[in-house]
Amino acid sequence: GTIRFVGALVVRKMLVAKVMLAICAELLTDPTPEALESLAALLTVVGAKFDTDAFPGRAQLTGIFGKMEAIVRTPTCDPRARCLLQDVLDLRADSWLDRRPKRAEGP
């Protein structure tokens, strides 16, 4: 909830992108399952906007994705966190186009 809100503020330029990069770096310093889940949620919100050549922090963001790939490959990674991180990496590989079926709204 809160981390998605922060991501939305960054996308709408109400917070500077450096904040997003700092949050990602902080979440990766102690990669607990909860921290990795938050990282996946944040990058899902901001990825499409900031994973471009025009973004000045692209090198840092690429490093973050590299660390995520390394975490996914470790056998001790929490299965839920691994799936969430892999979903983000798959989204990135697919140019941030979400092709998953959407849930139908209720009556």
Side-chain angles (χ1 to χ4, degrees), residues 10-31:
V10 172
V11 168
R12 287 169 181 78
K13 298 181 181 174
M14 298 173 91
L15 284 175
V16 292
K18 286 182 183 181
V19 171
M20 179 259 306
L21 293 171
I23 291 171
C24 290
E26 182 66 30
L27 290 171
L28 284 170
T29 56
D30 182 23

Side-chain angles (χ1 to χ4, degrees), residues 8-105:
L9 291 176
V10 172
V11 168
R12 287 169 181 78
K13 298 181 181 174
M14 298 173 91
L15 284 175
V16 292
K18 286 182 183 181
V19 171
M20 179 259 306
L21 293 171
I23 291 171
C24 290
E26 182 66 30
L27 290 171
L28 284 170
T29 56
D30 182 23
T32 63
E34 294 81 15
L36 295 176
E37 185 173 341
S38 295
L39 179 67
L42 178 61
L43 290 175
T44 300
V45 173
V46 301
K49 172 101 173 155
F50 293 103
D51 193 20
T52 64
D53 292 330
F55 177 53
R58 176 80 190 267
Q60 278 183 282
L61 197 56
T62 302
I64 290 166
F65 285 116
K67 288 178 184 176
M68 286 173 54
E69 288 171 355
I71 290 170
V72 166
R73 282 187 254 119
T74 59
T76 56
C77 181
D78 179 67
R80 175 175 165 75
R82 177 183 290 122
C83 288
L84 291 171
L85 294 179
Q86 190 60 56
D87 285 348
V88 174
L89 293 170
D90 291 345
L91 259 178
R92 183 180 191 225
D94 211 14
S95 302
W96 298 102
L97 297 174
D98 190 4
R99 294 199 170 108
R100 292 180 298 180
K102 302 289 182 226
R103 255 190 266 177
E105 291 293 321

